[in-house]
């Protein structure tokens, strides 16, 4: 190691974090708190937050990206905010959604209850044989459970299974459950407590403010990161060939040098860009992880009305397709609507409705005009609902896959990931120089072994990489 590198301290080491999402912000804030003086973030977008994106809509705000705090015990997001009165329990509201068939038949609460209980009880729980797909396991267990449950119409049971699979895809960020690794499902550590905690009328950005120790009501205040974040700085190259430093070339031509780089970009971006982004090429194990991990797409729809259009006893609806109606849909230009699995009220936004779409059809939807999307959704409402739905005053859809800064919504582990014998651990492994100094580190939700595809996983990963550098410098000072 050269003398100049050897003399680096927390005061002089230049650390560049790539990406101002929750993982990048977590890494940078912890580094500053640990005494590192030269910490900066390069962010490709014109805003901070990454896949946390709270925007004004309706009477307050909506979250285009991350929306829920999933669980309490063992969830670092919840632990940070639990005493601040910023979260609200969604409770059983989502379970109160009506199940409606494409012939406008509404399932009785009794039938929906039997089927819902069978589905929830069919997900694998440890200890469990971990091979195979989540879809195979769920399907097999569901029909076994129903065979000893009160009798229900098998056709309706099949329709309910299909819509439940789509809903689970929105948690696993997958196109379908037959690609989801059952092993990964079992290794994901669920946090006990309320699973769908919402951020009231402040949105998820209120958590980022807290993380940065920023003033809650000052839009431009970044707290401990004031003056450290550079927006609209998209990277063209990360050159770590030199033993002494990492050279970063931005798309605008600016060249920066750093002693350490923490890369928090999404798996979607790594898949698309790693070959031209990293010089020299990444090690084989890292490439295998990038190739093996999947970047899924979940998109949302928000509808704003003059007044809430749903009847008072409706919280929302899930869509159950009759076979003949589904066959007809698949042969039409509205085929993508098959993957819109439901919609519901938005808590703390009484005039809004929110809908969800997953997978390949979500990516296709992004290519349509907003008018075409809204027209399709209005057709869907007319097809299913036994009451009229007015045109919304305003409409918003998300397009996470189209955005070159993300190329999807969040990561998932598939059977293909398992076949390649890779996973988040390979993505998280840092690139070291010959002396063991971390040169390029990797964070982000996809690098979390047990909390992938979650904000708390992203935050933990950012802290992990900050702690790695802190431990490196602390150990050197003891020598």
């Amino acid at each position: 190691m050269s003398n100049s590198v050897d003399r680096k301290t927390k005061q002089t080491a230049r650390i560049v974090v790539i990406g101002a999402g929750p993982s990048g912000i977590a890494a940078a804030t912890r580094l500053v708190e640990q005494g590192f003086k030269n910490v900066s973030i390069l962010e490709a977008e014109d805003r901070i937050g990454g896949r946390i994106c709270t925007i004004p809509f309706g009477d307050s705000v909506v979250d285009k990206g991350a929306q829920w705090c999933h669980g309490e015990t063992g969830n670092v997001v919840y632990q940070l905010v639990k005493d601040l009165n910023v979260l609200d329990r969604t409770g059983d509201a989502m379970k109160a959604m009506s199940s409606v068939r494409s012939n406008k038949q509404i399932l009785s609460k009794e039938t929906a209850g039997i089927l819902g209980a069978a589905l929830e009880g069919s997900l694998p729980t440890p200890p469990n044989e971990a091979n195979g797909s989540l879809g195979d396991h769920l399907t097999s267990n569901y029909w076994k459970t129903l065979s000893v449950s009160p009798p229900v119409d098998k056709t309706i049971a099949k329709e309910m299974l299909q819509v439940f699979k789509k809903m689970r895809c929105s948690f696993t960020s997958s196109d379908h459950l037959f690609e989801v690794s059952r092993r990964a499902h079992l290794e994901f550590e669920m946090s006990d407590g309320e699973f769908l905690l919402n951020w009231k009328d402040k949105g998820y950005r209120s958590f980022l403010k807290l993380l940065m120790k920023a003033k809650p009501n000052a839009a431009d205040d970044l707290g401990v990161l004031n003056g450290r974040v550079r927006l609209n700085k998209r990277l063209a190259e990360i050159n770590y060939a030199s033993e002494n430093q990492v050279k970063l070339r931005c798309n605008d031509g600016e060249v920066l040098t750093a002693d350490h780089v923490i890369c928090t970009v999404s798996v979607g971006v790594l898949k698309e860009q790693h070959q031209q982004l990293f010089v020299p090429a990444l090690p084989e194990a890292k490439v295998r992880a990038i190739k093996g991990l999947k970047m899924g797409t979940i998109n949302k729809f928000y509808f704003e009305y003059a007044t809430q259009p749903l009847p008072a006893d409706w919280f929302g609806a899930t869509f159950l397709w009759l076979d003949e109606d589904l066959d007809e849909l698949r042969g039409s230009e509205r085929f993508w609507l098959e993957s819109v699995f439901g919609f519901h009220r938005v808590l703390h936004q009484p005039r809004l409705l929110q809908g969800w779409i997953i997978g390949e059809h979500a990516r296709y939807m992004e290519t349509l005009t907003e008018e075409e999307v809204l027209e399709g959704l209005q057709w869907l409402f007319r097809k299913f609902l036994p009451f009229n739905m007015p045109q919304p005053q305003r409409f918003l859809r998300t397009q996470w896959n189209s955005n070159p800064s993300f190329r999807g919504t969040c990561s998932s582990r598939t059977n293909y990931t398992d076949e390649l014998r890779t996973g988040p651990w390979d993505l998280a492994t840092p690139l070291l120089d010959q002396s063991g100094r971390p040169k390029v580190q990797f964070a982000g939700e996809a690098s979390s072994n047990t909390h992938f595809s979650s904000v708390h996983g992203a935050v933990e990963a950012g802290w992990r990489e900050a702690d790695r550098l802190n431990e490196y410098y602390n150990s050197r000072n003891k020598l």
Side-chain angles (χ1 to χ4, degrees):
M1 188 191 291
S2 77
N3 290 336
S4 62
V5 173
D6 200 33
R7 288 196 298 268
K8 291 290 182 180
T9 66
K10 285 187 180 183
Q11 285 68 43
T12 59
R14 299 161 299 172
I15 305 168
V16 176
V17 179
I18 301 168
S23 203
I25 287 173
T29 52
R30 180 161 285 200
L31 286 165
V32 171
E33 288 161 1
Q34 288 168 336
F36 289 91
K37 300 299 182 188
N38 195 338
V39 180
S40 60
I41 301 182
L42 302 182
E43 169 54 51
E45 295 279 284
D46 60 1
R47 60 175 182 83
I48 67 160
R51 284 166 276 168
I52 289 178
C53 183
T54 306
I55 64 164
F57 193 84
D59 300 318
S60 57
V61 296
V62 294
D63 280 306
K64 293 174 73 175
Q67 176 172 348
W68 312 107
C69 174
H70 289 302
E72 300 170 29
T73 308
N75 182 330
V76 295
V77 173
Y78 179 79
Q79 295 303 318
L80 278 173
V81 305
K82 63 182 180 180
D83 299 323
L84 302 178
N85 195 30
V86 294
L87 289 171
D88 187 24
R89 296 178 183 280
T90 304
D92 292 331
M94 298 293 275
K95 292 179 181 175
M97 289 169 67
S98 303
S99 298
V100 190
R101 304 179 77 201
S102 53
N103 61 1
K104 292 186 168 61
Q105 177 190 348
I106 302 166
L107 298 198
S108 69
K109 287 186 178 177
E110 181 186 15
T111 299
I114 293 169
L115 295 174
L119 287 162
E120 289 291 346
S122 297
L123 292 166
T125 54
N128 193 287
E129 179 58 43
N131 295 324
S133 77
L134 180 57
D136 286 323
H137 181 101
L138 173 66
T139 304
S140 169
N141 270 19
Y142 176 62
W143 292 115
K144 282 179 192 171
T145 304
L146 283 183
S147 69
V148 293
S149 297
V152 289
D153 185 310
K154 283 230 169 60
T155 301
I156 292 176
K158 178 186 167 193
E159 294 164 5
M160 193 72 153
L161 174 61
Q162 297 310 314
V163 76
F164 183 80
K165 284 177 179 175
K166 294 171 197 172
M167 291 174 72
R168 290 305 305 184
C169 284
S170 73
F171 296 134
T172 58
S173 192
S174 51
D175 288 7
H176 54 82
L177 294 188
F178 294 101
E179 70 176 358
V180 178
S181 161
R182 186 160 74 182
R183 182 186 303 277
H185 176 84
L186 291 167
E187 289 177 3
F188 186 96
E189 291 181 1
M190 294 290 288
S191 300
D192 292 336
E194 172 70 49
F195 185 64
L196 298 177
L197 288 155
N198 67 77
W199 295 90
K200 299 188 178 181
D201 57 353
K202 299 293 190 292
Y204 223 131
R205 69 181 176 194
S206 53
F207 170 71
L208 294 179
K209 286 280 187 184
L210 180 75
L211 205 54
M212 298 184 294
K213 297 181 170 58
K215 295 169 189 167
N217 299 317
D220 295 329
D221 184 45
L222 303 182
V224 299
L225 297 185
N226 278 327
R228 297 181 182 274
V229 182
R230 300 184 65 189
L231 302 176
N232 298 302
K233 297 299 287 185
R234 195 176 296 277
L235 279 178
E237 187 176 274
I238 301 170
N239 189 319
Y240 63 101
S242 166
E243 184 70 9
N244 296 336
Q245 62 188 14
V246 182
K247 187 179 291 186
L248 303 169
R249 182 165 55 83
C250 301
N251 271 12
D252 61 9
E254 183 178 5
V255 176
L256 305 162
T257 54
D259 299 300
H260 311 278
V261 170
I262 300 177
C263 180
T264 74
V265 302
S266 74
V267 164
V269 171
L270 289 174
K271 281 178 178 292
E272 183 179 71
Q273 297 183 21
H274 79 86
Q275 286 177 302
Q276 63 262 36
L277 188 58
F278 290 93
V279 177
L282 291 172
E284 184 185 344
K286 185 79 65 187
V287 173
R288 193 167 62 245
I290 293 168
K291 185 179 178 182
L293 292 166
K294 183 181 175 70
M295 188 70 175
T297 307
I298 309 155
N299 278 314
K300 304 181 189 180
F301 309 110
Y302 285 106
F303 309 79
E304 180 189 358
Y305 300 92
T307 57
Q308 176 57 243
L310 292 185
D313 58 345
W314 280 62
F315 182 76
T318 53
F319 300 130
L320 280 62
W321 284 96
L322 276 66
D323 281 345
E324 57 268 30
D325 289 336
L326 188 55
D327 287 343
E328 187 178 341
L329 177 76
R330 286 173 171 172
S332 75
E333 62 182 13
R334 296 192 179 100
F335 64 91
W336 57 275
L337 290 167
E338 178 181 352
S339 295
V340 180
F341 58 82
F343 70 100
H344 55 82
R345 296 172 186 252
V346 180
L347 297 175
H348 301 282
Q349 280 266 39
R351 297 191 296 112
L352 300 193
L353 288 179
Q354 177 180 354
W356 300 81
I357 184 171
I358 53 104
E360 188 179 357
H361 292 151
R363 292 188 286 277
Y364 176 79
M365 178 278 299
E366 295 187 25
T367 69
L368 303 175
T369 66
E370 199 166 274
E371 291 72 24
E372 287 170 325
V373 173
L374 181 56
E375 187 182 300
L377 292 168
Q378 289 291 102
W379 177 90
L380 193 67
F381 289 156
R382 291 193 298 272
K383 176 74 177 170
F384 278 84
L385 299 180
F387 47 82
N388 291 326
M389 289 287 286
Q391 281 283 122
Q393 289 181 328
R394 267 207 302 170
F395 173 68
L396 170 74
R397 51 88 184 260
T398 63
Q399 295 170 287
W400 287 104
N401 185 67
S402 305
N403 189 319
S405 300
F406 306 103
R407 293 298 186 219
T409 313
C410 45
S411 70
S412 68
R413 283 171 57 187
T414 66
N415 290 323
Y416 181 54
T417 318
D418 292 346
E419 285 172 21
L420 291 180
R421 297 187 179 185
T422 188
W425 49 91
D426 283 331
L427 186 62
T429 303
L431 307 180
L432 309 176
D433 69 10
Q434 291 180 347
S435 70
R437 178 178 66 99
K439 290 178 71 178
V440 182
Q441 298 161 252
F442 294 82
E445 50 85 11
S447 72
S448 169
N449 288 350
T450 54
H451 291 143
F452 44 88
S453 80
S454 70
V455 173
H456 54 285
V459 171
E460 288 169 341
W463 286 346
R464 179 194 69 220
E465 295 311 312
D467 292 346
R468 191 190 303 275
L469 280 181
N470 191 47
E471 287 162 14
Y472 171 76
Y473 279 92
N474 285 347
S475 66
R476 288 173 76 247
N477 288 340
K478 292 174 184 174
L479 297 177

